[in-house]
């Protein structure tokens, strides 16, 4: 039978129910469709205790702003436990998502989604592992769907795709549901205004930024405060770069203030600030807090709109403030929006915590990076190629320690959504990144470097890696000695643009001076103890689910743990580590557990682990002194070498992949453990389910837990990927039985296996089983077919009667109906693989007794029947060897019996072994399989 994805048992299974003949595979493997008839449902969700639902204030409204920039969804009407919740369009650059966000006191509220103008033909809810068909109901008019957020998923979010799935865009915009916990009142500051209206309340310790900024701008208007950069002597003056001499005393150009609507503004020119831009006011507010450390400790943003260069906190030690911490709080209706940045090379992330410590950010206001507008070089923004601009993202923690983010929202990031660089003890709790746009470099979380980084509760929409780390120095492409910069200004040619080059160097140096470190030293330490849990990540196009180790500059990467990490629809790969470019990263431990990766769009295996191979790598003195590579451990700065060591430990435990892809690979690992992997919803019990090549692996443990809780080794071989039986009786001849729970055999005596029967009153039955061969790397020395015996039909047949299985290889392109296509999922007696069995062409089992277990006639009536349980085996070595030699991707077998006409025997099918509608007494171990010996 063709097994539905998601049909295997999970550690937290949904309640079992009988499987309808009309198959409904909602939230199943990518590409699964739902027949229109199957959605003509009415369903009710079980009643639960009353749920408190908190709807958020309109984004940006307050403090004089009366209209939110958010646009209500025209596609979705959302209710949560009966409370209407507005869905908002995210349509800055394409329209991939509408998003409904709210807070509630339930982790499993009932969600009702109505699509007034859309007929619901298919529904997929992600992560698919936790939303099987039984979790969704659709109204009879096919305009409303209802489901509950999954308790098993342990997430605050879900993605709903109507009339589309993770492989395509036909259903866009999709719907993201974000269910925040109710806010902890203790995190909200005392919002009492200062008696003098200044915004600075020395009694409560709170600086109300809205009030403070209004006073500040009135006294210090931007039109008077903003100045263009003056000409300065270049840091590259007197040096030779790529063959071009930079004259001694060479200065940057004098800057000008240009119109805010100018496009592709380059340093030293600067866009004129708007009158309401609160960038300078923020600096003044932070200085005020620093100047009053015993009285002030909170920066508060009430509801309203704030336009600025981003929340930049640089050089603040929160331990010196009252209570030992700076608290930054944003009301739920606050919109903190980036302007079009000052110039192309400026550094203006949505949130930047630099050279700081002991800071906590709370509240559910929205940080908006204006990434689409900033990088729209055709209209109002700038180009953002790596060689002519700084890297900058949504939330950036750099050279900082003891930083906590609680409940933070960032959207429309310019580049990576959340990132760390040389950061220590940083915690992200319930963070959201809403950038569902096809823009370059939109990773979900990218902890480029850091130590003791914890993210618990993460929801990201992006366009690249869901998680990445070891991407050291992401802005090194804009450093003065980066080849891309040389080429951009044609240094080394007769057309060298020296003035343009030194202006770019001036832009780089301006940011380096502000940050206190240059672009080659954003990341300047080993990374270790990085933990990511309870995440849901979606990608528009590129990227991997987990990517570790790109260009780590010789630093070590140690102890990465992922728990309940869920990735949907990246294109590039799944769990991936690399050791390039030179010099290679050095790993130690990687653990991924209780996670799911939708690999429906992958072009390669879902796992690609590349560890060290013992080769020697050298870090030169120049690389250390100029280019930011890891310094010599002895502190001398001289060249040194190290050995590329293998990854010490790799563990994949209870990781779910939506489908089988090409072969995965593990190289350079001392101890690798694969445990309870699931592919296409099936527990991996045979190696063909998860094809894997290994090299340089010290110890590989590959196990699963059976239905009795026993640990078993994954068997070399293949689980069937399609099985059925066909019947010669008049009423059976046109039926396809690939959804039945058993396989049936009965020999009518016309042909060795009864395969030659054509007409008459015979009741012959044959079974067909298909097995993948993609997991084989060579022809096996032995191959054995395994079928689990259920029982026989007639009480009149003695239990001591004996029989044998007969097996014959066949092709589904040579069919009894004269056609060239009779695959398992459509096969009938009238159109099945045609073959002629002979004594020399069949493989036979040992004889076995029929036993006393009786199975009544019919399809579903035997579901609760007892199962004999014997493993009937057949040596099919020559069949597998011949198929491998012929480069066949699959092996198709016809299975019959040699015994009498009343020997109607049943065996467990793939669907009878697993899934919510399986045989009551069936177990996964009973599924048809082939074991091989290399």
């Amino acid at each position: 039978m063709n097994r539905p994805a998601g049909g295997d048992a999970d550690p937290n299974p949904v309640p079992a129910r009988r499987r309808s003949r009309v198959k409904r595979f909602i939230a199943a493997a990518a590409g699964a469709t739902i027949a229109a008839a199957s959605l003509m449902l009415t369903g009710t969700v079980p009643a639960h205790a009353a749920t408190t639902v908190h709807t958020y204030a309109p984004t940006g409204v307050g403090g004089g702003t009366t209209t939110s920039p958010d646009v209500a969804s025209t596609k979705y009407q959302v209710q949560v436990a009966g409370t209407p919740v507005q869905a908002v369009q995210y349509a800055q650059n394409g329209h991939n998502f509408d998003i409904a966000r709210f807070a509630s006191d339930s982790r499993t509220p009932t969600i009702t989604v109505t699509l007034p103008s859309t007929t619901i033909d298919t529904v997929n809810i992600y992560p698919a592992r936790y939303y099987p068909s039984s979790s969704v109901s659709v109204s009879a008019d096919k305009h409303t769907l209802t489901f509950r957020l999954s308790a098993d998923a342990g997430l605050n979010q879900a993605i709903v795709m109507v009339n589309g799935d993770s492989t395509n865009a036909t259903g866009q915009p999709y719907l993201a549901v974000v269910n925040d916990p109710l806010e902890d009142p203790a995190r909200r500051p005392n919002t009492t205004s200062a008696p003098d209206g200044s915004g600075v309340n020395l009694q409560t310790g709170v600086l109300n930024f809205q009030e403070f900024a209004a006073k500040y701008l009135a006294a210090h208007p931007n039109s008077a405060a903003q100045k263009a950069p003056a000409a300065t002597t270049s840091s590259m003056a007197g040096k030779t770069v790529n063959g071009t001499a930079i004259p001694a005393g060479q200065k940057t150009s004098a800057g000008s203030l240009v119109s805010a609507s100018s496009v592709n503004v380059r340093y030293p020119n600067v866009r004129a600030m708007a009158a309401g831009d609160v960038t300078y006011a923020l600096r003044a507010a932070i200085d005020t807090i620093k100047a009053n450390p015993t009285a002030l400790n909170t920066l508060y943003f009430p509801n309203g709109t704030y336009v600025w260069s981003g929340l930049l906190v640089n050089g603040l030690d929160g331990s010196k403030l009252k209570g030992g911490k700076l608290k930054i709080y944003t009301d739920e209706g606050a919109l903190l929006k980036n302007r079009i940045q000052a110039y192309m090379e400026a550094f203006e992330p949505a949130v930047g915590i630099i050279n700081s410590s002991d800071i906590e950010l709370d509240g559910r206001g929205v940080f908006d990076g204006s990434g689409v507008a900033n990088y729209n070089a055709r209209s109002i923004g700038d180009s953002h190629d790596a060689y002519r601009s700084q890297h900058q993202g949504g939330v950036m923690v750099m050279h900082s320690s003891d930083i906590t983010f609680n409940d933070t929202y960032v959207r429309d990031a310019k580049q990576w959504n959340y990132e760390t660089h040389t950061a220590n003890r940083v915690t992200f709790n319930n963070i959201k990144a809403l950038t569902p746009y096809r823009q370059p470099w939109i990773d979900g979380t990218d902890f480029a470097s850091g130590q003791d980084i914890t993210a618990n509760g993460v929801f990201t929409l992006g366009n690249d890696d869901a998680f990445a780390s070891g991407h050291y120095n992401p802005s090194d492409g804009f450093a003065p000695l980066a080849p891309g910069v040389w080429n951009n200004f044609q240094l080394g040619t007769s057309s060298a643009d020296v003035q343009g080059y030194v202006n770019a160097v001036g832009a780089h140096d301006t940011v380096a001076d502000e940050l206190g470190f240059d672009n080659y030293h954003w990341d300047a330490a080993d990374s270790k103890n990085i933990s990511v849990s309870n995440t849901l990540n979606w990608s528009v196009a590129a990227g991997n689910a987990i990517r570790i180790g790109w260009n780590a500059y010789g630093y070590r990467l140690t102890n990465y743990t992922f728990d309940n990490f869920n990735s949907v629809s990246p294109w590039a790969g799944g769990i991936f580590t690399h050791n390039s470019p030179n010099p290679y990263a050095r790993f130690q431990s990687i653990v991924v557990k209780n996670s799911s990766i939708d690999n429906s769009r992958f072009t390669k295996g879902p796992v690609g682990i590349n560890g060290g191979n013992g080769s020697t790598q050298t870090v030169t003195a120049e690389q250390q002194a100029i280019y930011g590579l890891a310094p010599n451990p002895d502190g001398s700065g001289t060249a040194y070498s190290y050995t590329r060591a293998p990854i010490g430990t790799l563990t994949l435990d209870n990781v779910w992949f939506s489908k089988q892809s090409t072969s995965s690979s593990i190289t350079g690992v001392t101890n690798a453990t694969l445990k309870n992997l699931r592919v296409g919803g099936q527990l991996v019990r045979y190696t063909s389910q998860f094809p894997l090549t290994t090299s340089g692996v010290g110890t590989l443990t590959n196990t699963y837990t059976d239905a009795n809780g026993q640990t078993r080794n994954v068997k070399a071989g293949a689980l069937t990927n399609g099985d059925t039986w066909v019947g010669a009786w008049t009423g059976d001849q046109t039926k396809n039985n690939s959804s039945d729970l058993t396989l049936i055999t009965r020999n009518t005596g016309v042909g060795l296996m009864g395969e030659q029967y054509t007409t008459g009153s015979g009741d012959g039955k044959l079974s067909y089983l298909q097995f993948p061969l993609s997991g084989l790397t060579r022809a096996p020395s032995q191959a054995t077919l395994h079928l689990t015996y259920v029982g026989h039909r007639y009480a009149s047949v003695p239990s001591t009667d004996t029989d044998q299985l007969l097996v014959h290889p066949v092709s589904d392109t040579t069919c009894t109906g004269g056609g060239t296509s009779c695959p398992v999922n459509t096969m009938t007696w009238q159109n099945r693989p045609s073959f002629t069995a002979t004594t020399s062409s069949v493989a036979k089992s040992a004889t076995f007794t029929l036993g006393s277990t009786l199975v009544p006639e019919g399809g579903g009536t035997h579901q609760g029947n007892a199962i004999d349980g014997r493993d009937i085996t057949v040596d099919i070595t020559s069949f597998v060897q011949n198929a491998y030699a012929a480069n066949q991707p699959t092996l198709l077998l016809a299975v019959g019996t040699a015994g009498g006409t009343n020997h109607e025997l049943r065996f467990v099918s793939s669907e009878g072994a697993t899934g919510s509608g399986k045989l009551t007494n069936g177990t996964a171990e009973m599924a048809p399989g082939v074991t091989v010996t290399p």
Side-chain angles (χ1 to χ4, degrees):
M1 289 100 196
N2 290 330
R3 184 196 305 275
D8 202 2
D10 255 0
N12 301 302
V14 297
R17 75 178 199 178
R18 290 282 296 275
R19 190 171 177 279
S20 170
R21 286 293 182 180
V22 180
K23 298 179 181 179
R24 293 184 287 116
F25 303 152
I26 304 175
T33 58
I34 305 171
S38 74
L39 285 178
M40 299 294 288
L41 310 172
T42 58
T44 59
V45 176
H48 291 268
T51 298
T52 299
V53 177
H54 174 77
T55 58
Y56 286 135
T59 299
V61 175
T65 301
T66 58
T67 304
S68 172
D70 291 347
V71 177
S73 171
T74 58
K75 182 174 182 179
Y76 302 104
Q77 297 172 359
V78 180
Q79 288 192 346
V80 180
T83 300
V85 172
Q86 186 178 71
V88 171
Q89 296 183 22
Y90 275 64
Q92 299 284 340
N93 181 19
H95 191 183
N96 297 317
F97 269 91
D98 289 350
I99 296 173
R101 65 186 189 103
F102 58 94
S104 81
D105 62 353
S106 172
R107 298 302 86 213
T108 58
T110 300
I111 311 296
T112 303
V113 182
T114 299
L115 296 84
S117 302
T118 301
T119 298
I120 302 172
D121 295 318
T122 67
V123 178
N124 289 275
I125 301 181
Y126 296 89
R129 177 175 189 170
Y130 302 107
Y131 291 96
S133 58
S134 58
S135 67
V136 183
S137 65
V138 176
S139 62
D141 67 1
K142 298 175 66 176
H143 285 287
T144 299
L145 64 94
T146 303
F147 70 101
R148 289 180 60 208
L149 289 181
S150 167
D152 294 340
L155 301 171
N156 294 335
Q157 304 85 21
I159 294 173
V160 180
M161 297 187 178
V162 174
N163 300 341
D165 57 35
S166 60
T167 67
N168 62 60
T170 57
Q172 292 174 339
Y174 300 129
L175 175 68
V177 176
V178 181
N179 174 30
D180 288 321
L182 293 178
E183 190 173 21
D184 181 355
R187 289 181 179 165
R188 183 173 177 80
N190 185 329
T191 60
T192 304
S193 295
D196 61 359
S198 67
V200 181
N201 193 325
L202 298 178
Q203 283 68 48
T204 63
V206 176
L207 189 152
N208 181 318
F209 184 72
Q210 191 172 85
E211 296 175 351
F212 179 90
K215 294 287 186 180
Y216 181 87
L217 289 178
H220 308 87
N222 290 328
S223 58
Q226 186 183 20
K227 307 296 181 184
T232 59
T233 301
S234 173
S235 62
M236 301 304 292
K239 299 179 181 180
T240 298
V241 182
N242 200 38
T244 294
I246 310 301
Q250 177 71 50
K251 291 188 175 184
T252 63
S253 300
S256 299
L257 297 181
V258 301
S259 167
S261 62
S262 300
V263 175
N264 283 327
V265 177
R266 303 199 66 162
Y267 183 91
N269 292 334
V270 178
R271 291 184 174 91
M273 296 171 67
D277 187 319
V278 295
T279 298
Y280 294 158
L282 173 66
R283 297 176 188 175
I286 292 174
D287 287 342
T288 299
I289 292 173
K290 287 181 179 180
N292 294 274
T294 61
L296 296 177
N297 65 356
T298 301
L299 181 61
Y300 166 54
F301 294 88
N303 287 352
T305 297
Y306 307 83
V307 178
W308 55 6
S309 62
L311 176 64
L312 184 63
V313 181
N314 191 351
L316 190 147
D317 182 356
S319 68
K320 296 180 179 180
L321 303 180
K322 181 177 71 172
K325 182 185 297 184
L326 171 66
K327 294 185 178 182
I328 301 173
Y329 183 88
T330 61
D331 270 342
E332 63 186 44
L335 175 61
L336 307 106
K337 188 175 180 65
N338 276 55
R339 65 192 183 186
I340 303 301
Q341 61 194 40
Y343 49 89
M344 185 183 299
E345 306 93 341
F347 179 77
E348 300 184 1
V351 178
I353 308 298
I354 321 292
N355 303 314
S356 297
S357 62
D358 297 285
I359 298 175
E360 178 180 313
L361 285 86
D362 297 292
R364 298 172 185 191
V366 176
F367 292 92
D368 188 323
S370 294
V372 173
N374 260 288
Y375 293 147
N376 184 354
R378 296 179 302 276
S379 178
I380 57 175
D382 299 314
S383 297
H384 62 300
D385 305 276
Y387 59 83
R388 55 184 173 189
S389 66
Q390 304 283 349
H391 169 92
Q392 58 193 307
V395 173
M396 305 181 71
V397 182
M398 309 174 70
H399 291 231
S400 296
S401 60
D402 299 294
I403 310 297
T404 300
F405 289 81
N406 293 315
D407 303 331
T408 308
Y409 277 90
V410 63
R411 71 182 185 189
D412 194 8
K414 296 177 186 177
Q415 292 174 343
W416 301 344
N417 281 298
Y418 284 86
E419 56 189 285
T420 64
H421 303 272
T422 318
N424 294 279
R425 299 179 301 281
V426 181
T427 301
F428 299 95
N429 294 315
N430 188 32
I431 59 172
K432 283 77 60 174
L434 310 179
T435 314
Y437 306 127
R438 194 178 293 268
Q439 297 168 222
W441 310 320
I442 306 294
D443 287 3
T445 48
D446 199 317
F447 302 152
S449 67
Q451 299 183 359
D452 300 307
I453 310 296
T454 300
N456 180 21
V458 177
F459 178 53
T460 65
L461 305 175
N463 186 47
D464 210 328
D465 301 328
F467 171 89
S469 185
H471 293 43
Y472 277 46
N473 303 311
S475 206
D476 58 3
F478 187 64
L481 295 179
V485 178
W486 302 346
N487 294 334
N488 187 37
F489 295 100
Q490 299 179 297
L491 299 192
T493 74
S494 58
S495 303
D497 179 5
V498 172
Q499 189 63 62
Y501 174 71
V502 298
N503 286 348
V505 171
H508 167 272
D509 291 349
T510 297
V511 173
D513 290 343
E514 180 182 8
L515 298 183
F517 46 87
D518 66 23
N519 287 27
Y520 283 124
H521 293 88
W522 284 25
D523 304 271
D526 294 339
S527 292
K528 66 179 181 180
N529 301 337
I530 293 179
S531 173
V532 181
S533 59
N534 302 317
T535 74
L536 177 57
N537 316 278
W538 176 88
S539 177
V540 178
N544 301 267
I546 296 172
R547 183 187 188 200
I548 306 175
W550 173 256
N551 206 357
Y553 275 50
Y555 288 99
R556 290 183 295 272
L557 310 178
T558 306
N559 299 343
Y560 286 76
T561 301
F562 304 87
D563 189 358
N564 194 22
F565 180 95
N566 301 280
S567 171
V568 178
S569 77
W571 239 343
I575 303 169
F576 187 54
T577 67
H578 22 185
N579 280 305
S580 63
N582 184 60
Y584 299 101
R586 295 173 281 178
F587 304 100
Q588 288 194 23
S589 172
I590 300 172
V591 176
V592 184
K593 58 185 179 180
N594 308 318
S595 299
S596 72
I597 295 176
D598 170 23
N599 58 319
S600 56
R601 297 198 294 178
F602 285 11
T603 56
K604 58 185 178 183
V607 174
I609 302 297
N610 302 285
N613 58 4
S615 63
T616 299
Q617 300 298 314
T618 299
V619 179
T620 68
E622 181 185 36
Q623 288 174 321
Q624 298 172 61
I626 299 176
Y627 295 102
L629 274 72
N632 191 318
D634 67 11
S636 67
T638 59
Y640 69 97
S641 299
Y642 67 87
T643 300
R644 282 183 63 197
I647 298 171
T649 301
L650 169 70
T651 301
L652 305 183
D653 183 358
N654 189 26
V655 180
W656 181 100
F657 302 97
S658 63
K659 72 168 189 175
Q660 186 183 96
S661 294
T662 58
S663 181
S664 293
S665 63
I666 299 176
T667 64
V669 176
T670 302
N671 292 294
T673 299
L674 310 180
K675 181 180 179 182
N676 289 330
L677 301 187
R678 285 173 166 78
V679 175
Q682 302 177 51
L683 183 66
V684 172
R685 297 178 292 273
Y686 290 84
T687 55
S688 71
Q689 295 173 266
F690 187 74
L692 178 68
T693 60
T694 61
S695 175
V697 176
T699 301
L700 174 64
T701 302
N702 192 1
T703 63
Y704 67 95
T705 304
D706 69 15
N708 297 318
Q710 299 297 310
T711 299
R712 296 177 178 264
N713 290 325
V714 171
K715 296 180 279 287
L719 187 70
T720 178
N721 61 359
D723 51 19
T724 191
W725 66 270
V726 295
W729 178 63
T730 303
D732 288 337
Q733 287 192 3
T734 60
K735 290 182 179 179
N736 174 261
N737 299 295
S738 58
S739 63
D740 203 357
L741 305 182
T742 60
L743 302 169
I744 312 178
T745 62
R746 186 175 185 181
N747 194 332
T748 59
V750 183
L752 182 63
M753 296 171 59
E755 80 282 357
Q756 299 302 317
Y757 178 86
T758 54
T759 60
S761 59
D763 194 12
K765 295 177 174 68
L766 286 169
S767 290
Y768 289 86
L769 300 95
Q770 182 173 275
F771 296 93
L773 301 179
S774 57
L776 294 177
T777 57
R778 62 179 177 177
S781 62
Q782 185 174 5
T784 304
L785 172 67
H786 296 261
L787 292 177
T788 301
Y789 182 51
V790 176
H792 65 104
R793 176 176 174 183
Y794 294 106
S796 59
V797 176
S799 63
T800 55
D801 268 17
T802 61
D803 211 329
Q804 284 179 293
L805 286 184
L806 304 181
V807 181
H808 197 286
V810 294
S811 169
D812 62 6
T813 60
T814 303
C815 309
T816 55
T820 59
S821 178
C822 45
V824 168
N825 63 337
T826 62
M827 192 183 297
T828 66
W829 184 270
Q830 292 181 350
N831 187 37
R832 58 185 171 85
S834 175
F835 67 101
T836 300
T838 65
T839 301
S840 60
S841 66
V842 299
K844 301 178 181 180
S845 72
T847 59
F848 57 93
T849 61
L850 269 58
S852 58
T853 302
L854 300 179
V855 185
E857 182 183 13
T861 57
H862 57 268
Q863 184 172 30
N865 203 81
I867 296 175
D868 179 291
R870 279 177 285 171
D871 180 22
I872 310 301
T873 63
V874 184
D875 188 328
I876 58 169
T877 303
S878 63
F879 300 161
V880 176
Q881 290 175 339
N882 293 340
Y884 181 83
N887 292 318
Q888 292 178 207
T890 60
L891 173 65
L892 183 61
L893 301 172
V895 178
T897 50
T901 56
N902 285 334
H903 285 189
E904 182 170 308
L905 311 184
R906 289 183 186 261
F907 301 85
V908 178
S909 73
S910 55
E911 288 206 356
T914 61
S916 60
K918 72 178 183 66
L919 294 167
T920 303
N921 296 301
T923 68
E925 292 300 309
M926 297 178 178
V930 172
T931 58
V932 300
T933 301

